[in-house]
Amino acid sequence: MTLTRQMKTSNHIIKTAFAAFVALSLGACTGEQFQISGNITEAEDSMLYLDHMSLNGPVAIDSTRLDDEGAFLFKGKAPEAPEFYRLRIGRQIVNIAIDSTEQITVKASYPNMSTQYEVSGSDECAKIKELALLQIQLQSRINAIVQSPELGVEAVEDSVDRVLAGYKEFVKNKYIFGAPMKAYAYFALFQTLRLGYANALVFNPRASENDVKVFAAVATSWDTYYPGAERVKNLHNIAIEGMKNVRIMKAQEKPIDWDKVTVSDVIDIALPDNKGGIQHLNQMGGKVVLLDFHVFATSESTERIMQLRDLYNKYHAQGFEIFQVSLDPDEHFWKTSTAALPWICVRDERGIESPYLSSYNIQGLPTFFLVNRNNALHKRDAQIKDLEAEIRSLL
């Protein structure tokens, strides 16, 4: 299984990665406290927020309006185990880890505070800055590969997989295995990458046995240093779920052999359509079907739909059909987008968690397959040079 594919199963973990069940109370007048202060210049009259990265997502817990010098000061109750925060102006953020009574100083200039900031008073925060910059560099490398006009689909996937594998190996050795009890090791576990149309975890414990081991290593170490902490429980739960999921995948996964795809029966897809009924792909026998996996909430969707409409108008009368599977999260938006389309439009509410993505070995969206009149898979998009000519050959 490639890393590109592995990452697609991880979206729901991202939603709960940085979390605690209760936001820490800041501004307390008693007890030990931490302090985050500094200056963010070129941001006069901007609101600077301090967010707590909780198990239910980011929670804004304090804020201040910056003056012409950009000075700020936040104080909070010292946590018993490492906690994570971020300074935020708009989409510009600085990640902060707090594990006791640190006095952390951050100096930056807007609008480049995410990449060009100085942090002192915490080795943990310095390491987190290194990781954040490495993550940005990784995303840039991935974007360059995906956008390269010289690479075909398979070459793009292979290149992305190699880059990700190298990155993960480097981060494991330098930031995780060397000191798994550190806050920056925990931070490294939940780094994300935008691949296709969704964010995904770089380390995906739901699909990779090796990544499960990385999570387990940090969980074991944190259990020793911070027994009973909510983040420790979260790590153990993720590792246990990952172990179970990997075992299930090994037992059940049956990837398609694309060398023999022309003699394989189609894998049925049964989903609700935009009119409230259930449509089955295996009931399209006798027609040439373009099976299209699509996301309408993308900038490329309109152009793609126009191209499909041209094909449909030309060949539908000759026995050509389109079976379009939407992975859009917003049902109302999807129904509105497909109301005027003449072909079969179904939606999987599970989105990128859809099991059909694994069944059809889909590693990028949008993508399509051709199904012949005998209801057998003919070819996938990467194997087709001229789609219209391929359709005509099957009619």
Side-chain angles (χ1 to χ4, degrees), residues 70-107:
F72 67 91
L73 171 63
F74 295 121
K75 293 183 179 181
K77 184 178 179 181
E80 296 181 359
E83 277 299 332
F84 299 89
Y85 302 85
R86 69 182 184 186
L87 298 172
R88 171 175 58 88
I89 301 178
R91 295 184 178 181
Q92 291 290 307
I93 64 173
V94 173
N95 293 296
I96 301 290
I98 301 290
D99 64 10
S100 60
T101 58
E102 287 105 338
Q103 294 189 12
I104 297 171
T105 302
V106 175
K107 295 183 178 181

mmCIF file of all heavy atoms in Angstrom, residues 70-107:
data_model
loop_
_atom_site.group_PDB
_atom_site.id
_atom_site.type_symbol
_atom_site.label_atom_id
_atom_site.label_comp_id
_atom_site.label_asym_id
_atom_site.label_seq_id
_atom_site.Cartn_x
_atom_site.Cartn_y
_atom_site.Cartn_z
ATOM 1 N N GLY A 70 3.332 46.385 18.709
ATOM 2 C CA GLY A 70 2.995 44.963 18.618
ATOM 3 C C GLY A 70 3.242 44.168 19.876
ATOM 4 O O GLY A 70 3.336 42.938 19.820
ATOM 5 N N ALA A 71 3.322 44.833 21.021
ATOM 6 C CA ALA A 71 3.622 44.125 22.271
ATOM 7 C C ALA A 71 2.405 43.342 22.755
ATOM 8 O O ALA A 71 1.261 43.779 22.597
ATOM 9 C CB ALA A 71 4.062 45.119 23.332
ATOM 10 N N PHE A 72 2.649 42.189 23.338
ATOM 11 C CA PHE A 72 1.558 41.380 23.893
ATOM 12 C C PHE A 72 2.069 40.588 25.091
ATOM 13 O O PHE A 72 3.271 40.348 25.239
ATOM 14 C CB PHE A 72 0.993 40.416 22.841
ATOM 15 C CG PHE A 72 1.947 39.338 22.419
ATOM 16 C CD1 PHE A 72 1.977 38.109 23.069
ATOM 17 C CD2 PHE A 72 2.827 39.542 21.361
ATOM 18 C CE1 PHE A 72 2.861 37.108 22.700
ATOM 19 C CE2 PHE A 72 3.718 38.541 20.976
ATOM 20 C CZ PHE A 72 3.732 37.325 21.643
ATOM 21 N N LEU A 73 1.131 40.162 25.931
ATOM 22 C CA LEU A 73 1.446 39.346 27.089
ATOM 23 C C LEU A 73 0.244 38.480 27.418
ATOM 24 O O LEU A 73 -0.857 38.987 27.634
ATOM 25 C CB LEU A 73 1.795 40.215 28.300
ATOM 26 C CG LEU A 73 1.948 39.488 29.644
ATOM 27 C CD1 LEU A 73 3.098 38.503 29.587
ATOM 28 C CD2 LEU A 73 2.138 40.492 30.771
ATOM 29 N N PHE A 74 0.451 37.161 27.436
ATOM 30 C CA PHE A 74 -0.578 36.217 27.856
ATOM 31 C C PHE A 74 -0.037 35.406 29.030
ATOM 32 O O PHE A 74 1.139 35.014 29.040
ATOM 33 C CB PHE A 74 -0.957 35.252 26.727
ATOM 34 C CG PHE A 74 -1.615 35.907 25.541
ATOM 35 C CD1 PHE A 74 -1.042 35.798 24.276
ATOM 36 C CD2 PHE A 74 -2.794 36.605 25.683
ATOM 37 C CE1 PHE A 74 -1.643 36.389 23.182
ATOM 38 C CE2 PHE A 74 -3.413 37.199 24.592
ATOM 39 C CZ PHE A 74 -2.835 37.095 23.335
ATOM 40 N N LYS A 75 -0.902 35.154 30.007
ATOM 41 C CA LYS A 75 -0.537 34.308 31.137
ATOM 42 C C LYS A 75 -1.581 33.216 31.300
ATOM 43 O O LYS A 75 -2.744 33.399 30.956
ATOM 44 C CB LYS A 75 -0.445 35.127 32.427
ATOM 45 C CG LYS A 75 0.694 36.131 32.452
ATOM 46 C CD LYS A 75 0.744 36.842 33.787
ATOM 47 C CE LYS A 75 1.899 37.836 33.831
ATOM 48 N NZ LYS A 75 1.974 38.531 35.144
ATOM 49 N N GLY A 76 -1.142 32.087 31.852
ATOM 50 C CA GLY A 76 -2.069 30.997 32.063
ATOM 51 C C GLY A 76 -1.604 30.061 33.149
ATOM 52 O O GLY A 76 -0.427 30.053 33.528
ATOM 53 N N LYS A 77 -2.521 29.261 33.641
ATOM 54 C CA LYS A 77 -2.210 28.283 34.671
ATOM 55 C C LYS A 77 -1.308 27.198 34.098
ATOM 56 O O LYS A 77 -1.586 26.628 33.053
ATOM 57 C CB LYS A 77 -3.493 27.663 35.212
ATOM 58 C CG LYS A 77 -3.280 26.702 36.367
ATOM 59 C CD LYS A 77 -4.607 26.166 36.872
ATOM 60 C CE LYS A 77 -4.395 25.172 38.013
ATOM 61 N NZ LYS A 77 -5.702 24.628 38.498
ATOM 62 N N ALA A 78 -0.237 26.902 34.793
ATOM 63 C CA ALA A 78 0.720 25.900 34.317
ATOM 64 C C ALA A 78 0.065 24.524 34.256
ATOM 65 O O ALA A 78 -0.529 24.079 35.230
ATOM 66 C CB ALA A 78 1.937 25.863 35.227
ATOM 67 N N PRO A 79 0.168 23.832 33.117
ATOM 68 C CA PRO A 79 -0.432 22.494 32.999
ATOM 69 C C PRO A 79 0.413 21.438 33.690
ATOM 70 O O PRO A 79 1.619 21.610 33.883
ATOM 71 C CB PRO A 79 -0.456 22.263 31.486
ATOM 72 C CG PRO A 79 0.720 23.039 30.983
ATOM 73 C CD PRO A 79 0.799 24.267 31.860
ATOM 74 N N GLU A 80 -0.221 20.349 34.061
ATOM 75 C CA GLU A 80 0.496 19.244 34.699
ATOM 76 C C GLU A 80 1.218 18.378 33.682
ATOM 77 O O GLU A 80 2.159 17.652 34.031
ATOM 78 C CB GLU A 80 -0.485 18.395 35.511
ATOM 79 C CG GLU A 80 -1.110 19.145 36.678
ATOM 80 C CD GLU A 80 -2.056 18.277 37.472
ATOM 81 O OE1 GLU A 80 -2.243 17.097 37.095
ATOM 82 O OE2 GLU A 80 -2.615 18.765 38.474
ATOM 83 N N ALA A 81 0.769 18.401 32.453
ATOM 84 C CA ALA A 81 1.414 17.679 31.348
ATOM 85 C C ALA A 81 1.483 18.632 30.172
ATOM 86 O O ALA A 81 0.747 19.632 30.128
ATOM 87 C CB ALA A 81 0.608 16.426 30.993
ATOM 88 N N PRO A 82 2.359 18.394 29.217
ATOM 89 C CA PRO A 82 2.496 19.326 28.097
ATOM 90 C C PRO A 82 1.176 19.617 27.403
ATOM 91 O O PRO A 82 0.375 18.726 27.165
ATOM 92 C CB PRO A 82 3.466 18.594 27.159
ATOM 93 C CG PRO A 82 4.272 17.731 28.063
ATOM 94 C CD PRO A 82 3.319 17.282 29.117
ATOM 95 N N GLU A 83 0.971 20.889 27.100
ATOM 96 C CA GLU A 83 -0.196 21.324 26.345
ATOM 97 C C GLU A 83 0.257 22.184 25.179
ATOM 98 O O GLU A 83 1.377 22.704 25.158
ATOM 99 C CB GLU A 83 -1.169 22.105 27.244
ATOM 100 C CG GLU A 83 -2.096 21.218 28.044
ATOM 101 C CD GLU A 83 -2.988 20.355 27.162
ATOM 102 O OE1 GLU A 83 -3.283 20.765 26.023
ATOM 103 O OE2 GLU A 83 -3.363 19.260 27.603
ATOM 104 N N PHE A 84 -0.637 22.338 24.217
ATOM 105 C CA PHE A 84 -0.287 23.011 22.985
ATOM 106 C C PHE A 84 -1.199 24.210 22.747
ATOM 107 O O PHE A 84 -2.413 24.147 22.951
ATOM 108 C CB PHE A 84 -0.375 22.036 21.814
ATOM 109 C CG PHE A 84 0.571 20.877 21.947
ATOM 110 C CD1 PHE A 84 0.191 19.720 22.612
ATOM 111 C CD2 PHE A 84 1.851 20.952 21.435
ATOM 112 C CE1 PHE A 84 1.061 18.667 22.761
ATOM 113 C CE2 PHE A 84 2.741 19.897 21.578
ATOM 114 C CZ PHE A 84 2.349 18.750 22.243
ATOM 115 N N TYR A 85 -0.563 25.278 22.300
ATOM 116 C CA TYR A 85 -1.262 26.531 22.034
ATOM 117 C C TYR A 85 -0.762 27.082 20.704
ATOM 118 O O TYR A 85 0.204 26.585 20.108
ATOM 119 C CB TYR A 85 -0.995 27.542 23.150
ATOM 120 C CG TYR A 85 -1.402 27.054 24.519
ATOM 121 C CD1 TYR A 85 -0.533 26.275 25.290
ATOM 122 C CD2 TYR A 85 -2.654 27.353 25.038
ATOM 123 C CE1 TYR A 85 -0.901 25.814 26.543
ATOM 124 C CE2 TYR A 85 -3.037 26.897 26.291
ATOM 125 C CZ TYR A 85 -2.156 26.121 27.032
ATOM 126 O OH TYR A 85 -2.526 25.665 28.264
ATOM 127 N N ARG A 86 -1.418 28.134 20.258
ATOM 128 C CA ARG A 86 -0.911 28.834 19.086
ATOM 129 C C ARG A 86 -1.266 30.310 19.183
ATOM 130 O O ARG A 86 -2.330 30.678 19.680
ATOM 131 C CB ARG A 86 -1.477 28.245 17.790
ATOM 132 C CG ARG A 86 -2.962 28.494 17.582
ATOM 133 C CD ARG A 86 -3.453 27.840 16.305
ATOM 134 N NE ARG A 86 -4.865 28.155 16.050
ATOM 135 C CZ ARG A 86 -5.587 27.628 15.076
ATOM 136 N NH1 ARG A 86 -5.034 26.742 14.252
ATOM 137 N NH2 ARG A 86 -6.853 27.986 14.903
ATOM 138 N N LEU A 87 -0.373 31.151 18.726
ATOM 139 C CA LEU A 87 -0.641 32.565 18.526
ATOM 140 C C LEU A 87 -1.156 32.715 17.109
ATOM 141 O O LEU A 87 -0.596 32.135 16.168
ATOM 142 C CB LEU A 87 0.626 33.378 18.720
ATOM 143 C CG LEU A 87 1.273 33.318 20.113
ATOM 144 C CD1 LEU A 87 2.629 34.021 20.091
ATOM 145 C CD2 LEU A 87 0.362 33.939 21.156
ATOM 146 N N ARG A 88 -2.199 33.527 16.938
ATOM 147 C CA ARG A 88 -2.846 33.570 15.614
ATOM 148 C C ARG A 88 -3.306 34.978 15.268
ATOM 149 O O ARG A 88 -3.938 35.656 16.062
ATOM 150 C CB ARG A 88 -4.039 32.623 15.606
ATOM 151 C CG ARG A 88 -4.923 32.718 14.377
ATOM 152 C CD ARG A 88 -5.998 31.655 14.396
ATOM 153 N NE ARG A 88 -6.841 31.719 15.588
ATOM 154 C CZ ARG A 88 -7.940 32.479 15.688
ATOM 155 N NH1 ARG A 88 -8.298 33.255 14.673
ATOM 156 N NH2 ARG A 88 -8.671 32.466 16.796
ATOM 157 N N ILE A 89 -2.951 35.384 14.063
ATOM 158 C CA ILE A 89 -3.536 36.566 13.419
ATOM 159 C C ILE A 89 -3.999 36.102 12.049
ATOM 160 O O ILE A 89 -3.180 35.788 11.183
ATOM 161 C CB ILE A 89 -2.535 37.721 13.260
ATOM 162 C CG1 ILE A 89 -1.986 38.158 14.603
ATOM 163 C CG2 ILE A 89 -3.208 38.908 12.558
ATOM 164 C CD1 ILE A 89 -0.954 39.271 14.501
ATOM 165 N N GLY A 90 -5.308 36.045 11.844
ATOM 166 C CA GLY A 90 -5.815 35.518 10.583
ATOM 167 C C GLY A 90 -5.355 34.084 10.397
ATOM 168 O O GLY A 90 -5.545 33.237 11.274
ATOM 169 N N ARG A 91 -4.703 33.800 9.272
ATOM 170 C CA ARG A 91 -4.196 32.458 8.993
ATOM 171 C C ARG A 91 -2.730 32.290 9.366
ATOM 172 O O ARG A 91 -2.155 31.218 9.178
ATOM 173 C CB ARG A 91 -4.384 32.120 7.509
ATOM 174 C CG ARG A 91 -5.847 32.029 7.085
ATOM 175 C CD ARG A 91 -5.957 31.587 5.644
ATOM 176 N NE ARG A 91 -7.356 31.439 5.232
ATOM 177 C CZ ARG A 91 -7.739 31.043 4.017
ATOM 178 N NH1 ARG A 91 -6.826 30.751 3.102
ATOM 179 N NH2 ARG A 91 -9.015 30.944 3.720
ATOM 180 N N GLN A 92 -2.130 33.332 9.885
ATOM 181 C CA GLN A 92 -0.733 33.259 10.312
ATOM 182 C C GLN A 92 -0.682 32.766 11.763
ATOM 183 O O GLN A 92 -1.322 33.350 12.649
ATOM 184 C CB GLN A 92 -0.068 34.627 10.202
ATOM 185 C CG GLN A 92 0.137 35.100 8.769
ATOM 186 C CD GLN A 92 1.207 34.293 8.058
ATOM 187 O OE1 GLN A 92 2.324 34.143 8.546
ATOM 188 N NE2 GLN A 92 0.867 33.773 6.886
ATOM 189 N N ILE A 93 0.067 31.694 12.008
ATOM 190 C CA ILE A 93 0.094 31.101 13.340
ATOM 191 C C ILE A 93 1.531 30.799 13.780
ATOM 192 O O ILE A 93 2.427 30.598 12.947
ATOM 193 C CB ILE A 93 -0.742 29.803 13.422
ATOM 194 C CG1 ILE A 93 -0.131 28.731 12.504
ATOM 195 C CG2 ILE A 93 -2.199 30.061 13.076
ATOM 196 C CD1 ILE A 93 -0.782 27.370 12.648
ATOM 197 N N VAL A 94 1.715 30.787 15.084
ATOM 198 C CA VAL A 94 2.960 30.340 15.715
ATOM 199 C C VAL A 94 2.570 29.289 16.745
ATOM 200 O O VAL A 94 1.781 29.565 17.661
ATOM 201 C CB VAL A 94 3.705 31.502 16.395
ATOM 202 C CG1 VAL A 94 4.906 30.968 17.180
ATOM 203 C CG2 VAL A 94 4.158 32.532 15.365
ATOM 204 N N ASN A 95 3.092 28.081 16.602
ATOM 205 C CA ASN A 95 2.763 26.988 17.518
ATOM 206 C C ASN A 95 3.618 27.063 18.776
ATOM 207 O O ASN A 95 4.833 27.303 18.698
ATOM 208 C CB ASN A 95 2.963 25.641 16.829
ATOM 209 C CG ASN A 95 1.963 25.418 15.713
ATOM 210 O OD1 ASN A 95 0.767 25.338 15.956
ATOM 211 N ND2 ASN A 95 2.446 25.321 14.476
ATOM 212 N N ILE A 96 2.970 26.825 19.917
ATOM 213 C CA ILE A 96 3.631 26.917 21.218
ATOM 214 C C ILE A 96 3.329 25.658 22.026
ATOM 215 O O ILE A 96 2.196 25.193 22.058
ATOM 216 C CB ILE A 96 3.137 28.141 22.018
ATOM 217 C CG1 ILE A 96 3.388 29.439 21.241
ATOM 218 C CG2 ILE A 96 3.777 28.189 23.394
ATOM 219 C CD1 ILE A 96 4.830 29.829 21.127
ATOM 220 N N ALA A 97 4.358 25.123 22.702
ATOM 221 C CA ALA A 97 4.163 24.019 23.641
ATOM 222 C C ALA A 97 4.498 24.513 25.045
ATOM 223 O O ALA A 97 5.498 25.205 25.239
ATOM 224 C CB ALA A 97 5.048 22.832 23.279
ATOM 225 N N ILE A 98 3.644 24.173 25.986
ATOM 226 C CA ILE A 98 3.857 24.556 27.387
ATOM 227 C C ILE A 98 3.839 23.297 28.240
ATOM 228 O O ILE A 98 2.886 22.512 28.175
ATOM 229 C CB ILE A 98 2.747 25.500 27.891
ATOM 230 C CG1 ILE A 98 2.696 26.779 27.049
ATOM 231 C CG2 ILE A 98 2.936 25.819 29.368
ATOM 232 C CD1 ILE A 98 3.876 27.695 27.237
ATOM 233 N N ASP A 99 4.886 23.097 29.061
ATOM 234 C CA ASP A 99 4.866 21.920 29.928
ATOM 235 C C ASP A 99 5.046 22.258 31.403
ATOM 236 O O ASP A 99 5.045 21.369 32.246
ATOM 237 C CB ASP A 99 5.901 20.878 29.493
ATOM 238 C CG ASP A 99 7.330 21.367 29.602
ATOM 239 O OD1 ASP A 99 7.540 22.448 30.189
ATOM 240 O OD2 ASP A 99 8.219 20.671 29.114
ATOM 241 N N SER A 100 5.193 23.542 31.715
ATOM 242 C CA SER A 100 5.262 23.908 33.131
ATOM 243 C C SER A 100 5.080 25.416 33.270
ATOM 244 O O SER A 100 4.057 25.949 32.875
ATOM 245 C CB SER A 100 6.595 23.446 33.752
ATOM 246 O OG SER A 100 7.698 24.038 33.089
ATOM 247 N N THR A 101 6.079 26.074 33.811
ATOM 248 C CA THR A 101 5.955 27.515 34.089
ATOM 249 C C THR A 101 6.869 28.336 33.187
ATOM 250 O O THR A 101 7.442 29.341 33.611
ATOM 251 C CB THR A 101 6.301 27.792 35.558
ATOM 252 O OG1 THR A 101 7.636 27.320 35.815
ATOM 253 C CG2 THR A 101 5.324 27.103 36.484
ATOM 254 N N GLU A 102 7.025 27.939 31.965
ATOM 255 C CA GLU A 102 7.929 28.655 31.064
ATOM 256 C C GLU A 102 7.558 30.132 30.907
ATOM 257 O O GLU A 102 6.389 30.512 31.032
ATOM 258 C CB GLU A 102 7.918 28.031 29.661
ATOM 259 C CG GLU A 102 8.633 26.704 29.571
ATOM 260 C CD GLU A 102 7.660 25.566 29.470
ATOM 261 O OE1 GLU A 102 6.488 25.739 29.886
ATOM 262 O OE2 GLU A 102 8.061 24.524 28.981
ATOM 263 N N GLN A 103 8.563 30.898 30.599
ATOM 264 C CA GLN A 103 8.369 32.271 30.161
ATOM 265 C C GLN A 103 8.908 32.346 28.748
ATOM 266 O O GLN A 103 10.104 32.413 28.514
ATOM 267 C CB GLN A 103 9.085 33.259 31.089
ATOM 268 C CG GLN A 103 8.501 33.284 32.492
ATOM 269 C CD GLN A 103 9.065 34.414 33.331
ATOM 270 O OE1 GLN A 103 9.728 35.312 32.822
ATOM 271 N NE2 GLN A 103 8.808 34.358 34.627
ATOM 272 N N ILE A 104 8.008 32.292 27.800
ATOM 273 C CA ILE A 104 8.367 32.193 26.389
ATOM 274 C C ILE A 104 8.226 33.559 25.724
ATOM 275 O O ILE A 104 7.245 34.276 25.945
ATOM 276 C CB ILE A 104 7.463 31.162 25.685
ATOM 277 C CG1 ILE A 104 7.704 29.777 26.298
ATOM 278 C CG2 ILE A 104 7.713 31.135 24.187
ATOM 279 C CD1 ILE A 104 6.733 28.726 25.830
ATOM 280 N N THR A 105 9.194 33.882 24.906
ATOM 281 C CA THR A 105 9.180 35.149 24.177
ATOM 282 C C THR A 105 9.139 34.870 22.679
ATOM 283 O O THR A 105 9.915 34.050 22.173
ATOM 284 C CB THR A 105 10.425 35.991 24.501
ATOM 285 O OG1 THR A 105 10.476 36.234 25.911
ATOM 286 C CG2 THR A 105 10.383 37.322 23.762
ATOM 287 N N VAL A 106 8.217 35.529 21.999
ATOM 288 C CA VAL A 106 8.061 35.374 20.553
ATOM 289 C C VAL A 106 8.176 36.740 19.900
ATOM 290 O O VAL A 106 7.504 37.700 20.309
ATOM 291 C CB VAL A 106 6.701 34.746 20.198
ATOM 292 C CG1 VAL A 106 6.519 34.699 18.680
ATOM 293 C CG2 VAL A 106 6.583 33.353 20.788
ATOM 294 N N LYS A 107 9.033 36.832 18.917
ATOM 295 C CA LYS A 107 9.170 38.062 18.138
ATOM 296 C C LYS A 107 8.962 37.728 16.668
ATOM 297 O O LYS A 107 9.555 36.780 16.157
ATOM 298 C CB LYS A 107 10.544 38.693 18.364
ATOM 299 C CG LYS A 107 10.773 39.177 19.787
ATOM 300 C CD LYS A 107 12.125 39.864 19.931
ATOM 301 C CE LYS A 107 12.317 40.380 21.361
ATOM 302 N NZ LYS A 107 13.621 41.069 21.512
#
